[in-house]
Amino acid sequence: MKILHLDTNHPFLLEQLQALGFQNDEDYTSSKTEIESKIHQYHGVIIRSRFTIDKQFLDAATNLKFIGRVGAGVENIDGVHAEKNGVHLISAPEGNMNAVGEHTLGMLLSLFNKLNKADQEVRSGIWLREENRGIELDGKTVGLIGYGNMGKAFAKKLRGFDVTVLCYDIKPNMGDENATQVDLKILQAQADVLSLHTPQTPLTQNMVNANFINAFKQSFWLINTARGKSVVTNDLVAALKSRKILGAGLDVLEYEKASFENLFKKDVTSGAVEMPEAFQFLIKAENVLLTPHVAGWTIESKEKLAQTIVNKIKARFH
């Protein structure tokens, strides 16, 4: 079987597939159109997020047996049409679930203890103690929306704290010894912290909007290590201003990838930076922590993601 690799990954992904007898070709630079012109030669594709694999691409891939997505989500692949064409989708949420769980916990503790704000002040010669008094996680209720691999990994990390963990998921019977599954209204009535662990789907896009936020009984903290388009940034900012949301840890944003860098570019004529007002608020807010979509991006997860893909290809096609 011939496999086309469209993104660089851990070297042993190539090494192990070759050892199993697969032929590996690499193309990290050609345009999508150029890839489409030769994709009929291949039985497998390995991709991260280089481009969308849509109906047109899949129809050109007449010999394709599988697509390996080195990551958790598969929203950049037309899964319905892939299945119709007999193409098996392989993803690797098991590979970075621990990394996401640790990052989520780190964000939450940093926000509660004002670590980012205090660090910047001390570096600037400012020594404020009362203003940086933190709050403790013990005794809080943490609500998780989405209780698959990522949600379960975070819940496991919370076991060392005296917290109540609730989870909401569209699938029934997802709760376990680390979290009690409840309906959304109960979660919104009780949660002090909300952490998102959902894929990007029509159901989750713009899910966290003004109505959703205001349905919470009390003010809460928001952590999003899932997908940026799940949160309406304008509504998040309004809630931060009103203190309905007490603080936010955002590893993902509506503004990502190529468009994100453009937010900081100056207009050639006016010299002004064309940046949405909501985002201007976020980057200045002391109770907002921002990271560049790296929750699942550790030294260890890079290896584990590749190994998971190899194992799944081996199990099905070797």
Side-chain angles (χ1 to χ4, degrees):
M1 292 178 74
K2 294 175 66 177
I3 301 175
L4 181 61
H5 296 255
L6 298 175
D7 289 294
T8 57
N9 290 292
H10 197 285
F12 75 55
L13 193 151
L14 287 161
E15 293 163 7
Q16 290 194 28
L17 288 174
Q18 184 176 347
L20 290 168
F22 295 96
Q23 177 183 322
N24 295 295
D25 290 351
E26 301 165 76
D27 189 336
Y28 307 137
T29 57
S30 294
S31 69
K32 184 178 178 183
T33 303
E34 290 170 327
I35 298 292
E36 280 181 11
S37 70
K38 64 178 181 179
I39 195 61
H40 64 278
Q41 302 172 32
Y42 293 94
H43 305 101
V45 166
I46 305 289
I47 191 169
R48 287 203 317 267
S49 303
R50 184 167 152 197
F51 53 69
T52 300
I53 294 183
D54 51 18
K55 182 179 183 296
Q56 179 177 308
F57 186 95
L58 288 163
D59 286 343
T62 50
N63 290 303
L64 202 62
K65 305 295 183 193
F66 71 87
I67 300 167
R69 158 81 168 103
V70 187
V74 291
E75 66 268 15
N76 61 329
I77 302 167
D78 186 337
V80 173
H81 200 68
E83 186 178 351
K84 182 181 174 184
N85 286 13
V87 178
H88 181 60
L89 294 191
I90 299 170
S91 62
E94 306 91 340
N96 62 359
M97 57 189 283
N98 182 71
V100 170
E102 290 191 7
H103 191 99
T104 307
L105 180 59
M107 281 192 133
L108 183 56
L109 293 175
S110 181
L111 285 168
F112 271 28
N113 293 285
K114 302 181 182 179
L115 298 185
N116 203 46
K117 171 180 176 292
D119 174 78
Q120 292 301 316
E121 288 175 356
V122 172
R123 290 171 189 272
S124 301
I126 302 168
W127 191 266
L128 298 174
R129 298 187 66 217
E130 188 58 41
E131 291 83 351
N132 285 304
R133 191 183 288 273
I135 61 171
E136 296 179 17
L137 184 52
D138 274 26
K140 304 295 189 293
T141 296
V142 181
L144 316 180
I145 295 187
Y147 204 61
N149 288 287
M150 307 304 165
K152 288 181 189 301
F154 180 43
K156 185 179 178 182
K157 302 301 174 194
L158 292 169
R159 286 175 65 172
F161 297 88
D162 184 14
V163 294
T164 299
V165 183
L166 306 176
C167 67
Y168 169 74
D169 197 288
I170 57 172
K171 296 179 182 177
N173 305 315
M174 293 293 286
D176 56 19
E177 68 275 13
N178 299 325
T180 302
Q181 186 166 4
V182 296
D183 67 35
L184 184 57
K185 287 186 177 179
I186 291 175
L187 187 147
Q188 289 173 317
Q190 298 182 18
D192 300 295
V193 174
L194 172 65
S195 187
L196 303 181
H197 300 280
T198 48
Q200 186 171 307
T201 70
L203 282 175
T204 62
Q205 190 152 336
N206 298 328
M207 174 178 68
V208 180
N209 57 25
N211 289 337
F212 177 95
I213 293 166
N214 292 327
F216 279 75
K217 184 177 179 181
Q218 58 206 18
S219 294
F220 64 97
W221 301 77
L222 174 69
I223 309 288
N224 186 11
T225 55
R227 289 293 181 261
K229 294 188 188 313
S230 293
V231 177
V232 179
T233 310
N234 287 336
D235 294 351
L236 165 62
V237 167
L240 286 165
K241 288 178 178 177
S242 71
R243 300 288 292 168
K244 183 69 178 185
I245 292 180
L246 300 169
L250 307 173
D251 181 53
V252 288
L253 296 162
E254 279 187 83
Y255 331 101
E256 280 193 48
K257 302 210 175 147
S259 62
F260 177 77
E261 282 80 5
N262 291 337
L263 293 172
F264 293 84
K265 289 182 178 176
K266 293 183 179 180
D267 182 83
V268 177
T269 308
S270 66
V273 176
E274 299 292 326
M275 186 184 290
E277 193 175 328
F279 187 62
Q280 290 182 48
F281 178 88
L282 291 180
I283 61 176
K284 293 174 184 174
E286 292 179 334
N287 59 341
V288 174
L289 193 59
L290 302 168
T291 52
H293 203 154
V294 292
W297 207 252
T298 61
I299 300 298
E300 293 84 356
S301 73
K302 184 175 183 180
E303 185 172 317
K304 286 189 280 188
L305 285 166
Q307 188 65 63
T308 301
I309 293 293
V310 170
N311 292 347
K312 289 184 178 181
I313 293 172
K314 180 181 178 182
R316 191 174 181 99
F317 296 102
H318 187 256

